Amino acid sequence: MKTKTYRSTKVLALAFLSLIIAGTVKVSAQESEGRYVPETDPLVLEKLEKWQDLKFGLLMHWGTYCQWGIVESWSICSEDEGWCRRKNPNYVEYKREYENLQTTFNPIGFDPAKWAKAARNAGMKYVIFTTKHHDGFCMFDTKLTDYKITSQKTPFHTNSKANIAREVFDAFRAEGLWAGAYFSKPDWHNENYWWPNFATPDRNVNYDVTTYPERWENFVKFTQGQIMELLGGDYGKIDILWLDGGWVQKMTREEVYKQVTSPGYKFTRVQNQDIRMDELVVKARQKQPGLIVVDRAVHGKNQNYLTPENRVPEKALPFPWESCIIAGGSWSWLPNAKYMSGRDAVQLLVDIVAKGGNLLFNIAPGPQGQWHDDAYRLLEDIGGWMKVNSEAIYGTRALAPYKEGKVCITKKGDKTLYLYYMADNDEKMPAQIGMSAFSLPVGAKVKMVGTETSLKWKKTESGFVINIPEKIIKNPPSKYVWVMKATF
Ligand code: GLC
């Protein structure tokens, strides 16, 4: 991920939504064909197939930064970005105050069972939780640093649910969801990444790795050690390891040169930051067989699926992918976060599913361990739609032409198709719904999901039209997106 992507992620999700739904955002180089290296481990392949059936997950960004209601981590990085301003203009003081947030973090309202229920009722099937973001604060009981939720310096350490990551994973598993660990490879608190001996010009390691190889080696050991703590047993079954901070990666001299000389590139400290991922992944899968590894934005076999950020690809991608998208405000908790509407969320999910992807929907907890009421309302609204229509979400696969005007299409197995009509606000259901670039198989039986009435349909020149009877028009089985099922 380069600067541009980072900047764009800070813009409110709502501003993106019209673009997202219209599907006008360009496919990035990262998503172009050839950027995906298929997995070969059969257990991982099997798991990836199941993961593609799940379609809908929850991402949570939570750390001490929520106490200030600011963007996660980024304000301690020296990159000069408009979306991320420090409230104290003295950087040295600011950073000290930021790290001191550890001493006041006490989210006594933390009740992950409540979140897990809300997520399950909305139809979510997996959770990805920030065990550690770039600032280095650990939301789990690591033995490798004291900058953590269970430190004696953190008031919450006396709470019976102090090991927050474990509580989150347990609570969501209890509701039947898969557990995924977000983990930032860069660590801006660790002296082997940002060595206090030097200033920190940007997000990268701030010393020369080839001049100080022992220091880098200590960092590699630390990072691998922390990831193995998370995967080694205390945190139970982990299904997905979601690694962020793609700039921490192995690079040849040529690759470094290419980056540094590319137009608009402004980081000074780009270098080979090899944490020996291949070796780590082998160890990780010994503990967690079949583990899905997402080394985000790092080309190669350790990126089992791709993760377009805050946008939806223009068309279906020929490999597993997941759009991570902010439900309200920012990745991190903002006091006045505005959430997207139920209609926008459901249509976003359908648009993604029609292109063969998963939606990872971000909700951020606040300083007391609370979610906004609007977050619960939004999940309930989505859940209302899912109760009627979820069969047209789970287990489906993309099918060309994916989308035509307001109609999307998917398939499930060889004998079922789903057609989705994206309704505008207050739109009356049309008396005829069809496509011109796809033809239903002869003899297909069609119903609207959530009703029992068989619908009449006919072929047109190169497509089909389905007739919707007045009684369904008057009494639609759900809001936002009307779904038809064709079996044959
Ligand atoms: C962006 C943000 C980062 C966040 C991530 C989630 O890369 O900069 O803070 O964790 O998006 O996808």
Side-chain angles (χ1 to χ4, degrees), residues 294-317:
V294 188
D295 193 8
R296 296 189 72 204
V298 180
H299 175 57
K301 69 181 174 68
N302 299 320
Q303 190 176 203
N304 290 155
Y305 63 73
L306 264 59
T307 55
E309 196 170 279
N310 254 338
R311 64 202 170 73
V312 181
E314 215 174 335
K315 50 178 190 177
L317 304 176

PDB file of all heavy atoms in Angstrom, residues 294-317:
ATOM      1  N   VAL A 294      -2.837 -13.758   5.237  1.00  0.00           N
ATOM      2  CA  VAL A 294      -3.043 -12.632   4.339  1.00  0.00           C
ATOM      3  C   VAL A 294      -1.931 -11.623   4.600  1.00  0.00           C
ATOM      4  O   VAL A 294      -2.048 -10.757   5.459  1.00  0.00           O
ATOM      5  CB  VAL A 294      -4.422 -11.977   4.600  1.00  0.00           C
ATOM      6  CG1 VAL A 294      -4.712 -10.927   3.541  1.00  0.00           C
ATOM      7  CG2 VAL A 294      -5.522 -13.015   4.630  1.00  0.00           C
ATOM      8  N   ASP A 295      -0.834 -11.785   3.880  1.00  0.00           N
ATOM      9  CA  ASP A 295       0.254 -10.817   4.015  1.00  0.00           C
ATOM     10  C   ASP A 295      -0.080  -9.689   3.054  1.00  0.00           C
ATOM     11  O   ASP A 295       0.358  -9.646   1.909  1.00  0.00           O
ATOM     12  CB  ASP A 295       1.599 -11.475   3.680  1.00  0.00           C
ATOM     13  CG  ASP A 295       2.770 -10.608   4.122  1.00  0.00           C
ATOM     14  OD1 ASP A 295       2.524  -9.598   4.811  1.00  0.00           O
ATOM     15  OD2 ASP A 295       3.922 -10.945   3.792  1.00  0.00           O
ATOM     16  N   ARG A 296      -0.864  -8.764   3.551  1.00  0.00           N
ATOM     17  CA  ARG A 296      -1.518  -7.757   2.699  1.00  0.00           C
ATOM     18  C   ARG A 296      -0.542  -6.997   1.823  1.00  0.00           C
ATOM     19  O   ARG A 296       0.486  -6.535   2.291  1.00  0.00           O
ATOM     20  CB  ARG A 296      -2.237  -6.741   3.563  1.00  0.00           C
ATOM     21  CG  ARG A 296      -3.344  -7.293   4.354  1.00  0.00           C
ATOM     22  CD  ARG A 296      -4.123  -6.165   4.995  1.00  0.00           C
ATOM     23  NE  ARG A 296      -4.900  -5.441   4.001  1.00  0.00           N
ATOM     24  CZ  ARG A 296      -5.291  -4.187   4.171  1.00  0.00           C
ATOM     25  NH1 ARG A 296      -4.950  -3.499   5.233  1.00  0.00           N
ATOM     26  NH2 ARG A 296      -6.015  -3.607   3.241  1.00  0.00           N
ATOM     27  N   ALA A 297      -0.908  -6.867   0.599  1.00  0.00           N
ATOM     28  CA  ALA A 297      -0.186  -6.026  -0.357  1.00  0.00           C
ATOM     29  C   ALA A 297       1.243  -6.495  -0.609  1.00  0.00           C
ATOM     30  O   ALA A 297       2.062  -5.728  -1.099  1.00  0.00           O
ATOM     31  CB  ALA A 297      -0.184  -4.567   0.108  1.00  0.00           C
ATOM     32  N   VAL A 298       1.537  -7.716  -0.237  1.00  0.00           N
ATOM     33  CA  VAL A 298       2.871  -8.257  -0.527  1.00  0.00           C
ATOM     34  C   VAL A 298       2.699  -9.359  -1.567  1.00  0.00           C
ATOM     35  O   VAL A 298       2.112 -10.416  -1.269  1.00  0.00           O
ATOM     36  CB  VAL A 298       3.542  -8.819   0.748  1.00  0.00           C
ATOM     37  CG1 VAL A 298       4.928  -9.362   0.399  1.00  0.00           C
ATOM     38  CG2 VAL A 298       3.646  -7.744   1.821  1.00  0.00           C
ATOM     39  N   HIS A 299       3.173  -9.095  -2.744  1.00  0.00           N
ATOM     40  CA  HIS A 299       3.013 -10.055  -3.822  1.00  0.00           C
ATOM     41  C   HIS A 299       3.687 -11.369  -3.457  1.00  0.00           C
ATOM     42  O   HIS A 299       4.844 -11.384  -3.061  1.00  0.00           O
ATOM     43  CB  HIS A 299       3.637  -9.473  -5.094  1.00  0.00           C
ATOM     44  CG  HIS A 299       3.635 -10.430  -6.237  1.00  0.00           C
ATOM     45  ND1 HIS A 299       2.475 -10.992  -6.711  1.00  0.00           N
ATOM     46  CD2 HIS A 299       4.637 -10.944  -6.977  1.00  0.00           C
ATOM     47  CE1 HIS A 299       2.773 -11.804  -7.706  1.00  0.00           C
ATOM     48  NE2 HIS A 299       4.075 -11.795  -7.889  1.00  0.00           N
ATOM     49  N   GLY A 300       2.959 -12.483  -3.580  1.00  0.00           N
ATOM     50  CA  GLY A 300       3.602 -13.763  -3.289  1.00  0.00           C
ATOM     51  C   GLY A 300       2.644 -14.740  -2.639  1.00  0.00           C
ATOM     52  O   GLY A 300       1.472 -14.435  -2.435  1.00  0.00           O
ATOM     53  N   LYS A 301       3.171 -15.894  -2.275  1.00  0.00           N
ATOM     54  CA  LYS A 301       2.290 -16.993  -1.858  1.00  0.00           C
ATOM     55  C   LYS A 301       1.736 -16.838  -0.440  1.00  0.00           C
ATOM     56  O   LYS A 301       0.907 -17.641  -0.018  1.00  0.00           O
ATOM     57  CB  LYS A 301       3.020 -18.323  -1.995  1.00  0.00           C
ATOM     58  CG  LYS A 301       4.163 -18.534  -1.026  1.00  0.00           C
ATOM     59  CD  LYS A 301       4.787 -19.900  -1.318  1.00  0.00           C
ATOM     60  CE  LYS A 301       6.044 -20.129  -0.493  1.00  0.00           C
ATOM     61  NZ  LYS A 301       5.798 -20.284   0.941  1.00  0.00           N
ATOM     62  N   ASN A 302       2.209 -15.837   0.288  1.00  0.00           N
ATOM     63  CA  ASN A 302       1.669 -15.654   1.641  1.00  0.00           C
ATOM     64  C   ASN A 302       0.503 -14.667   1.698  1.00  0.00           C
ATOM     65  O   ASN A 302       0.131 -14.191   2.764  1.00  0.00           O
ATOM     66  CB  ASN A 302       2.774 -15.202   2.596  1.00  0.00           C
ATOM     67  CG  ASN A 302       3.873 -16.245   2.674  1.00  0.00           C
ATOM     68  OD1 ASN A 302       3.585 -17.447   2.704  1.00  0.00           O
ATOM     69  ND2 ASN A 302       5.117 -15.811   2.659  1.00  0.00           N
ATOM     70  N   GLN A 303      -0.039 -14.375   0.549  1.00  0.00           N
ATOM     71  CA  GLN A 303      -1.222 -13.528   0.495  1.00  0.00           C
ATOM     72  C   GLN A 303      -2.344 -14.373  -0.093  1.00  0.00           C
ATOM     73  O   GLN A 303      -2.619 -14.335  -1.277  1.00  0.00           O
ATOM     74  CB  GLN A 303      -0.934 -12.289  -0.362  1.00  0.00           C
ATOM     75  CG  GLN A 303      -2.003 -11.240  -0.289  1.00  0.00           C
ATOM     76  CD  GLN A 303      -1.672  -9.963  -1.067  1.00  0.00           C
ATOM     77  OE1 GLN A 303      -2.223  -8.921  -0.764  1.00  0.00           O
ATOM     78  NE2 GLN A 303      -0.816 -10.021  -2.051  1.00  0.00           N
ATOM     79  N   ASN A 304      -2.992 -15.159   0.796  1.00  0.00           N
ATOM     80  CA  ASN A 304      -3.973 -16.122   0.302  1.00  0.00           C
ATOM     81  C   ASN A 304      -5.204 -15.468  -0.306  1.00  0.00           C
ATOM     82  O   ASN A 304      -5.925 -16.075  -1.073  1.00  0.00           O
ATOM     83  CB  ASN A 304      -4.410 -17.087   1.409  1.00  0.00           C
ATOM     84  CG  ASN A 304      -3.315 -18.056   1.815  1.00  0.00           C
ATOM     85  OD1 ASN A 304      -3.312 -18.556   2.928  1.00  0.00           O
ATOM     86  ND2 ASN A 304      -2.374 -18.332   0.905  1.00  0.00           N
ATOM     87  N   TYR A 305      -5.485 -14.264   0.134  1.00  0.00           N
ATOM     88  CA  TYR A 305      -6.518 -13.504  -0.596  1.00  0.00           C
ATOM     89  C   TYR A 305      -6.123 -12.034  -0.623  1.00  0.00           C
ATOM     90  O   TYR A 305      -5.329 -11.579   0.197  1.00  0.00           O
ATOM     91  CB  TYR A 305      -7.922 -13.735  -0.048  1.00  0.00           C
ATOM     92  CG  TYR A 305      -8.251 -13.309   1.374  1.00  0.00           C
ATOM     93  CD1 TYR A 305      -8.400 -11.981   1.730  1.00  0.00           C
ATOM     94  CD2 TYR A 305      -8.495 -14.272   2.358  1.00  0.00           C
ATOM     95  CE1 TYR A 305      -8.767 -11.608   3.018  1.00  0.00           C
ATOM     96  CE2 TYR A 305      -8.851 -13.915   3.657  1.00  0.00           C
ATOM     97  CZ  TYR A 305      -8.992 -12.565   3.982  1.00  0.00           C
ATOM     98  OH  TYR A 305      -9.347 -12.202   5.255  1.00  0.00           O
ATOM     99  N   LEU A 306      -6.702 -11.319  -1.584  1.00  0.00           N
ATOM    100  CA  LEU A 306      -6.372  -9.901  -1.735  1.00  0.00           C
ATOM    101  C   LEU A 306      -7.383  -9.035  -0.986  1.00  0.00           C
ATOM    102  O   LEU A 306      -8.533  -9.439  -0.801  1.00  0.00           O
ATOM    103  CB  LEU A 306      -6.318  -9.532  -3.215  1.00  0.00           C
ATOM    104  CG  LEU A 306      -4.897  -9.562  -3.791  1.00  0.00           C
ATOM    105  CD1 LEU A 306      -4.278 -10.937  -3.644  1.00  0.00           C
ATOM    106  CD2 LEU A 306      -4.868  -9.136  -5.244  1.00  0.00           C
ATOM    107  N   THR A 307      -6.944  -7.835  -0.586  1.00  0.00           N
ATOM    108  CA  THR A 307      -7.778  -7.033   0.318  1.00  0.00           C
ATOM    109  C   THR A 307      -7.927  -5.583  -0.149  1.00  0.00           C
ATOM    110  O   THR A 307      -7.389  -4.670   0.481  1.00  0.00           O
ATOM    111  CB  THR A 307      -7.146  -7.004   1.724  1.00  0.00           C
ATOM    112  OG1 THR A 307      -5.784  -6.523   1.580  1.00  0.00           O
ATOM    113  CG2 THR A 307      -7.140  -8.350   2.387  1.00  0.00           C
ATOM    114  N   PRO A 308      -8.647  -5.332  -1.243  1.00  0.00           N
ATOM    115  CA  PRO A 308      -8.876  -3.940  -1.623  1.00  0.00           C
ATOM    116  C   PRO A 308      -9.464  -3.154  -0.437  1.00  0.00           C
ATOM    117  O   PRO A 308     -10.326  -3.677   0.283  1.00  0.00           O
ATOM    118  CB  PRO A 308      -9.871  -4.021  -2.777  1.00  0.00           C
ATOM    119  CG  PRO A 308     -10.251  -5.453  -2.927  1.00  0.00           C
ATOM    120  CD  PRO A 308      -9.337  -6.283  -2.111  1.00  0.00           C
ATOM    121  N   GLU A 309      -8.966  -1.954  -0.270  1.00  0.00           N
ATOM    122  CA  GLU A 309      -9.275  -1.218   0.956  1.00  0.00           C
ATOM    123  C   GLU A 309     -10.253  -0.080   0.689  1.00  0.00           C
ATOM    124  O   GLU A 309      -9.979   0.813  -0.113  1.00  0.00           O
ATOM    125  CB  GLU A 309      -7.958  -0.666   1.481  1.00  0.00           C
ATOM    126  CG  GLU A 309      -8.005  -0.209   2.901  1.00  0.00           C
ATOM    127  CD  GLU A 309      -6.597   0.081   3.375  1.00  0.00           C
ATOM    128  OE1 GLU A 309      -5.877  -0.864   3.748  1.00  0.00           O
ATOM    129  OE2 GLU A 309      -6.200   1.261   3.346  1.00  0.00           O
ATOM    130  N   ASN A 310     -11.370  -0.110   1.371  1.00  0.00           N
ATOM    131  CA  ASN A 310     -12.402   0.922   1.254  1.00  0.00           C
ATOM    132  C   ASN A 310     -12.924   1.135  -0.155  1.00  0.00           C
ATOM    133  O   ASN A 310     -13.301   2.254  -0.522  1.00  0.00           O
ATOM    134  CB  ASN A 310     -11.909   2.254   1.821  1.00  0.00           C
ATOM    135  CG  ASN A 310     -12.574   2.519   3.146  1.00  0.00           C
ATOM    136  OD1 ASN A 310     -13.638   1.965   3.412  1.00  0.00           O
ATOM    137  ND2 ASN A 310     -11.966   3.312   3.978  1.00  0.00           N
ATOM    138  N   ARG A 311     -12.913   0.106  -0.923  1.00  0.00           N
ATOM    139  CA  ARG A 311     -13.484   0.192  -2.271  1.00  0.00           C
ATOM    140  C   ARG A 311     -13.763  -1.213  -2.779  1.00  0.00           C
ATOM    141  O   ARG A 311     -13.287  -2.195  -2.207  1.00  0.00           O
ATOM    142  CB  ARG A 311     -12.553   0.942  -3.199  1.00  0.00           C
ATOM    143  CG  ARG A 311     -11.293   0.267  -3.393  1.00  0.00           C
ATOM    144  CD  ARG A 311     -10.192   1.207  -3.849  1.00  0.00           C
ATOM    145  NE  ARG A 311      -9.004   0.399  -3.754  1.00  0.00           N
ATOM    146  CZ  ARG A 311      -8.738  -0.571  -4.598  1.00  0.00           C
ATOM    147  NH1 ARG A 311      -9.535  -0.800  -5.625  1.00  0.00           N
ATOM    148  NH2 ARG A 311      -7.686  -1.298  -4.435  1.00  0.00           N
ATOM    149  N   VAL A 312     -14.550  -1.209  -3.847  1.00  0.00           N
ATOM    150  CA  VAL A 312     -14.936  -2.485  -4.450  1.00  0.00           C
ATOM    151  C   VAL A 312     -14.354  -2.517  -5.855  1.00  0.00           C
ATOM    152  O   VAL A 312     -14.487  -1.548  -6.595  1.00  0.00           O
ATOM    153  CB  VAL A 312     -16.478  -2.599  -4.526  1.00  0.00           C
ATOM    154  CG1 VAL A 312     -16.897  -3.920  -5.136  1.00  0.00           C
ATOM    155  CG2 VAL A 312     -17.085  -2.433  -3.147  1.00  0.00           C
ATOM    156  N   PRO A 313     -13.718  -3.610  -6.231  1.00  0.00           N
ATOM    157  CA  PRO A 313     -13.193  -3.684  -7.604  1.00  0.00           C
ATOM    158  C   PRO A 313     -14.321  -3.509  -8.617  1.00  0.00           C
ATOM    159  O   PRO A 313     -15.475  -3.832  -8.346  1.00  0.00           O
ATOM    160  CB  PRO A 313     -12.610  -5.095  -7.691  1.00  0.00           C
ATOM    161  CG  PRO A 313     -12.454  -5.552  -6.285  1.00  0.00           C
ATOM    162  CD  PRO A 313     -13.447  -4.810  -5.454  1.00  0.00           C
ATOM    163  N   GLU A 314     -13.934  -3.029  -9.764  1.00  0.00           N
ATOM    164  CA  GLU A 314     -14.907  -2.762 -10.810  1.00  0.00           C
ATOM    165  C   GLU A 314     -15.580  -4.036 -11.314  1.00  0.00           C
ATOM    166  O   GLU A 314     -16.719  -4.048 -11.698  1.00  0.00           O
ATOM    167  CB  GLU A 314     -14.137  -2.135 -11.966  1.00  0.00           C
ATOM    168  CG  GLU A 314     -14.869  -1.102 -12.719  1.00  0.00           C
ATOM    169  CD  GLU A 314     -13.924  -0.466 -13.728  1.00  0.00           C
ATOM    170  OE1 GLU A 314     -12.689  -0.485 -13.508  1.00  0.00           O
ATOM    171  OE2 GLU A 314     -14.418   0.010 -14.739  1.00  0.00           O
ATOM    172  N   LYS A 315     -14.788  -5.115 -11.341  1.00  0.00           N
ATOM    173  CA  LYS A 315     -15.346  -6.365 -11.883  1.00  0.00           C
ATOM    174  C   LYS A 315     -14.912  -7.544 -11.020  1.00  0.00           C
ATOM    175  O   LYS A 315     -14.065  -7.376 -10.134  1.00  0.00           O
ATOM    176  CB  LYS A 315     -14.879  -6.548 -13.320  1.00  0.00           C
ATOM    177  CG  LYS A 315     -13.389  -6.373 -13.470  1.00  0.00           C
ATOM    178  CD  LYS A 315     -12.945  -6.614 -14.899  1.00  0.00           C
ATOM    179  CE  LYS A 315     -11.453  -6.665 -14.872  1.00  0.00           C
ATOM    180  NZ  LYS A 315     -10.668  -6.910 -15.934  1.00  0.00           N
ATOM    181  N   ALA A 316     -15.464  -8.702 -11.319  1.00  0.00           N
ATOM    182  CA  ALA A 316     -15.090  -9.902 -10.553  1.00  0.00           C
ATOM    183  C   ALA A 316     -13.598 -10.158 -10.716  1.00  0.00           C
ATOM    184  O   ALA A 316     -13.037  -9.919 -11.785  1.00  0.00           O
ATOM    185  CB  ALA A 316     -15.883 -11.090 -11.077  1.00  0.00           C
ATOM    186  N   LEU A 317     -12.953 -10.624  -9.662  1.00  0.00           N
ATOM    187  CA  LEU A 317     -11.521 -10.943  -9.748  1.00  0.00           C
ATOM    188  C   LEU A 317     -11.369 -12.461  -9.751  1.00  0.00           C
ATOM    189  O   LEU A 317     -12.125 -13.158  -9.066  1.00  0.00           O
ATOM    190  CB  LEU A 317     -10.771 -10.358  -8.542  1.00  0.00           C
ATOM    191  CG  LEU A 317     -10.913  -8.855  -8.311  1.00  0.00           C
ATOM    192  CD1 LEU A 317     -10.188  -8.434  -7.033  1.00  0.00           C
ATOM    193  CD2 LEU A 317     -10.371  -8.080  -9.496  1.00  0.00           C
TER     194      LEU A 317
END
